[in-house]
Amino acid sequence: MRSTEALTFLGTLLSSGAALACETCRPAVEAGIFNEHFWGRLAITVLPFAVILCVVTRLHFTARAEGEP
């Protein structure tokens, strides 16, 4: 029963819309996120995932090549 509740809660969080800010704060929050540094910060955020993907791909093809005769 607990796993069903956890999955329901997780599904609700993942399917909900973007976080909402009050009408007074929203423009300031958006301006702070989408400023001239946005693309650089996004690249730094995504970089660890790219490194992990490269390592996993390398390990996959290395293990696959060792298994072939």
Side-chain angles (χ1 to χ4, degrees):
M1 183 70 172
R2 286 186 178 258
S3 63
T4 305
E5 292 173 2
L7 287 174
T8 302
F9 179 70
L10 183 63
T12 302
L13 286 177
L14 292 175
S15 65
S16 64
L20 300 174
C22 66
E23 295 300 321
T24 305
C25 301
R26 187 179 184 111
V29 171
E30 287 179 353
I33 294 172
F34 301 111
N35 58 13
E36 65 272 3
H37 302 291
F38 175 75
W39 292 110
R41 290 178 181 160
L42 181 65
I44 291 171
T45 303
V46 173
L47 185 62
F49 297 105
V51 170
I52 291 171
L53 179 65
C54 289
V55 169
V56 169
T57 303
R58 175 78 180 231
L59 289 173
H60 172 74
F61 286 116
T62 302
R64 193 168 156 191
E66 289 177 1
E68 293 179 3

